Amino acid sequence: MILVIGEQRNGTLNRATWEAVAGAQQLAAGAPVVVVVAGAGVERVAAELAAGQVQEIVTIDSPALDAYTPDGYTAVLAAAIALLSPSVVVLPHTYQTRDFAPKLAARLDRALITDVTGMKKVGGDTAFVRPMFQGKLTADVVPQGPAPHFVTFQIGAFRADQAGRGATAAPIRPVAVNVDAGAIRQKPEAPFQEAKQSVDLSQAERIVSVGRGIKEQSNIALAQQLADALGAELAASRPICDSGWLPMERQVGSSGQTVAPKLYLALGISGAIQHLVGMKGASTIVAINKDPDAPIFEVADFGIVGDLFEIVPAMIAALKT
Amino acid sequence: MRIAVCIKQVPSRDSQPRVNDDQTWIREQDAGYEMNEPDAYALEEALRLKEAQGGEVVVCSAGPARVAQVIREALARGADRAIHVDDDGLASADAFVIADALAEAMRQEAFDLILTGLQSDDQGFAQTGVILAERLGLSHATIIMEVQSAAGGVRVKRELEGGWFQWVSMPLPAVLTIQSGINQLRYATLKGIMAAKKKEIRKAAPPATIAAPKQKIVSLYLPEKSKKTQMITGSPAEAATELVRRLREDARVIS
């Protein structure tokens, strides 16, 4: 049996859970899939998940799980895993998963393969495919040691709408797990957004995005000129916003905005996975980079290997004709 | 406050790692190395906490002899001393093996706060700091963008997805994994580099019963392209003109 750990906040399901269900169904190849969801008041989320082609939905409901904490989640999910004895535990590779999954795997002393994009058979083993070295190389990795093995699926590796739906709703089974609220050391406050985002890149039709290859803050002006000539918004990868060269609200990637414009033109962006997950849904992707091995070329429709400081002025000139 | 910072030495960002003959690891002899970038931010945060509150910053690293280079660099930036778990087998080790090696060497030190980067630029597990916390029985928080002192503990700003954040308080001792960009990095001064030469680096042997690996790389290779990329060649002017033509006429994404 494969167990999917679902993710919800305030009774709203994180859609990445469906991606994890789709991946788990593919991995299971017909074997049963069970989804567990923890929180306070998770009936609605459980009912939503019951539409999936799964054996059952297990819920762990406790007021102590109202706000997510790694201590609370690790305790109840370790108990659920002991009860259910899955062979593989699947999670979406969200920031919340990153916060507790290593703790849970360490508590049980079991392997955890993170950021997985696919599976393949190697001999009699299942190997999990994941990026390494900032996406410059890909590895096939086989978990070692006894089951259950933990696997987190990269966001976008499987499509939520490909998760198989059942003919009838799956049964929902509430499981009582004692939560010692006093043993939860983290005291979380309510999530918040920084200053209201004034730029909504998700609505942009065209985006010119800059990365480390832009070299200096003063060179941002050149990218802005290209954006103006294309009728595009200006965006950036994380290091540029970390340096303060562009405001954080213009950051594309897992920690910034997710965009899907008609045209995404990446200037000097190597294409680390954290960036790719934010923009690979663009219809047409152009990459200009001096490094022919840059991972950005793997997702690009059009690529130019060369010096952006020569190519961009030539593009601006060509756009005026 | 006694603060530990766990740092990793990783292949340089700017180089393309080459795969070894049996396609299970990189050719280490061809790689240049540097301090893992998120760990550099963790070090900077530790130095700022020490400057504000006093105490000690101890750099901890698990890896082969070559990692002495990034340990020296951290000492030059201002760390007070270092612990190096020195073993060739740690070069390509998984997060469990590294965390167990660090936990063994760090347990007796009873640090108040342990900082490390949220993930490494080599294998990118994003696990080591959290496993270390569990092994040491400590509270933790990940992907941290601000650290404040609070009565008996810390209040930290966790980054959530899509521009959301959350403050979380917890007692000390604790482990925090630091996000890149939390602060502005400092560079080592000449004085710092000279001072680093006199600072203590305690060599620790890996645990006698080194943890069994929990994952095995059976194949390492260049990524397969998910799209058929049309590479445009020629002089910069020719390539730029041809790209604009294709965006107008083929892709029809600009007018």
Side-chain angles (χ1 to χ4, degrees):
Chain A
M1 182 270 282
I2 292 181
L3 181 66
V4 176
I5 298 181
E7 182 169 323
Q8 60 85 33
R9 190 162 89 195
N10 295 334
T12 301
L13 183 70
N14 184 331
R15 276 181 56 77
T17 301
W18 282 118
E19 298 181 15
V21 169
Q25 287 171 338
Q26 186 178 321
L27 181 62
V33 173
V34 172
V35 183
V36 61
V37 58
V42 296
E43 304 86 354
R44 205 163 56 90
V45 166
E48 196 179 328
L49 286 166
Q53 191 175 358
V54 296
Q55 182 172 277
E56 62 174 345
I57 310 295
V58 172
T59 61
I60 305 169
D61 219 311
S62 164
L65 301 174
D66 186 19
Y68 160 79
T69 59
D71 279 351
Y73 269 54
T74 300
V76 299
L77 291 169
I81 288 165
L83 182 76
L84 299 167
S85 301
S87 57
V88 182
V89 180
V90 168
L91 305 97
H93 193 65
T94 60
Y95 280 24
Q96 183 164 302
T97 289
R98 292 169 55 135
D99 198 59
F100 75 85
K103 184 178 178 71
L104 180 58
R107 178 79 48 93
L108 304 172
D109 206 29
R110 293 294 184 270
L112 166 61
I113 315 286
T114 47
D115 214 12
V116 168
T117 58
M119 288 83 72
K120 56 173 82 160
K121 283 284 175 196
V122 175
D125 295 321
T126 299
F128 295 94
V129 181
R130 65 185 301 273
M132 283 195 186
F133 300 95
Q134 295 275 297
K136 291 173 191 156
L137 295 173
T138 302
D140 298 342
V141 178
V142 176
Q144 307 287 300
H149 299 141
F150 290 74
V151 176
T152 74
F153 286 130
Q154 187 180 100
I155 303 303
F158 297 91
R159 288 177 45 166
D161 57 14
Q162 282 174 341
R165 302 300 205 264
T168 55
I172 296 170
R173 173 158 66 115
V175 168
V177 175
N178 234 348
V179 188
D180 179 3
I184 296 176
R185 294 167 290 189
Q186 303 85 20
K187 308 294 175 208
E189 299 169 31
F192 64 96
Q193 276 184 301
E194 304 265 77
K196 202 105 191 101
Q197 307 244 333
S198 57
V199 187
D200 186 2
L201 294 175
S202 69
Q203 299 303 312
E205 289 209 340
R206 288 177 283 271
I207 291 175
V208 169
S209 197
V210 294
R212 287 179 197 264
I214 202 77
K215 291 201 174 100
E216 287 177 28
Q217 185 167 16
S218 57
N219 295 332
I220 299 279
L222 179 64
Q224 182 67 61
Q225 285 168 30
L226 178 62
D228 291 345
L230 287 165
E233 286 282 351
L234 193 60
S237 65
R238 179 157 192 127
I240 300 303
C241 299
D242 282 348
S243 306
W245 296 357
L246 278 173
M248 282 288 178
E249 63 188 13
R250 290 194 180 269
Q251 183 199 326
V252 168
S254 55
S255 53
Q257 300 200 47
T258 300
V259 300
K262 286 200 295 189
L263 171 65
Y264 191 91
L265 200 154
L267 294 177
I269 292 178
S270 66
I273 195 65
Q274 295 89 340
H275 186 74
L276 298 187
V277 298
M279 47 64 76
K280 65 185 179 188
S283 324
T284 298
I285 296 171
V286 178
I288 299 173
N289 202 295
K290 66 175 173 21
D291 175 8
D293 295 318
I296 191 75
F297 287 118
E298 287 149 37
V299 300
D301 299 278
F302 300 101
I304 300 178
V305 176
D307 183 351
L308 73 90
F309 298 106
E310 292 178 349
I311 294 159
V312 170
M315 275 191 77
I316 294 168
L319 283 162
K320 284 177 182 157
T321 60
Chain B
M1 185 145 57
R2 290 159 55 77
I3 308 171
V5 185
C6 302
I7 62 172
K8 190 173 197 184
Q9 188 196 41
V10 296
S12 306
R13 273 182 171 275
D14 292 336
S15 61
Q16 171 68 29
R18 294 179 57 195
V19 174
N20 67 6
D21 288 341
D22 56 359
Q23 292 205 305
T24 53
W25 191 238
I26 59 167
R27 284 171 55 94
E28 294 215 359
Q29 64 271 34
D30 293 346
Y33 287 93
E34 62 191 15
M35 192 185 302
N36 181 46
E37 187 173 67
D39 298 343
Y41 284 99
L43 171 64
E44 178 64 40
E45 196 62 21
L47 295 174
R48 288 174 188 224
L49 286 168
K50 179 196 155 182
E51 282 157 7
Q53 306 175 22
E56 183 187 35
V57 173
V58 181
V59 171
C60 305
S61 190
R66 62 171 159 77
V67 312
Q69 172 233 332
V70 290
I71 289 175
R72 285 282 173 215
E73 189 184 331
L75 294 172
R77 289 193 199 183
D80 297 289
R81 60 187 174 90
I83 300 170
H84 177 187
V85 187
D86 186 354
D87 190 88
D88 286 347
L90 295 169
S92 59
D94 69 36
F96 273 90
V97 173
I98 297 283
D100 282 340
L102 288 170
E104 177 97 354
M106 295 171 73
R107 187 170 279 117
Q108 297 308 318
E109 296 267 357
F111 292 109
D112 299 307
L113 189 61
I114 299 173
L115 305 185
T116 191
L118 79 168
Q119 65 186 54
S120 62
D121 288 346
D122 53 0
Q123 299 199 64
F125 297 121
Q127 298 181 31
T128 307
V130 179
I131 297 170
L132 179 64
E134 177 68 10
R135 289 291 191 250
L136 294 174
L138 305 182
S139 178
H140 82 269
T142 54
I143 320 187
I144 298 305
M145 282 300 283
E146 194 174 335
V147 182
Q148 296 178 348
S149 289
V154 283
R155 181 170 178 262
V156 298
K157 186 171 153 192
R158 266 187 78 210
E159 185 177 296
L160 310 177
E161 281 128 334
W164 287 79
F165 298 89
Q166 178 180 42
W167 287 98
V168 183
S169 299
M170 67 189 68
L172 293 178
V175 177
L176 305 176
T177 79
I178 301 295
Q179 170 68 292
S180 288
I182 184 175
N183 48 41
Q184 292 287 323
L185 300 177
R186 75 188 66 189
Y187 294 99
T189 60
L190 185 60
K191 192 172 156 218
I193 293 166
M194 298 306 289
K197 293 182 178 170
K198 297 195 187 92
K199 290 176 178 173
E200 178 205 358
I201 302 177
R202 173 162 76 81
K203 291 262 182 135
T209 51
I210 200 158
K214 287 204 167 38
Q215 43 188 287
K216 181 181 176 193
I217 300 171
V218 294
S219 184
L220 188 64
Y221 48 92
L222 283 169
E224 290 144 13
K225 286 186 190 298
S226 61
K227 277 190 177 172
K228 207 167 172 64
T229 307
Q230 298 180 34
M231 297 306 291
I232 299 170
T233 54
S235 72
E238 288 163 0
T241 305
E242 176 61 12
L243 174 62
V244 168
R245 188 192 70 75
R246 291 196 202 180
L247 292 178
R248 277 181 178 147
E249 295 172 19
D250 300 347
R252 300 183 179 202
V253 289
I254 53 173
S255 52

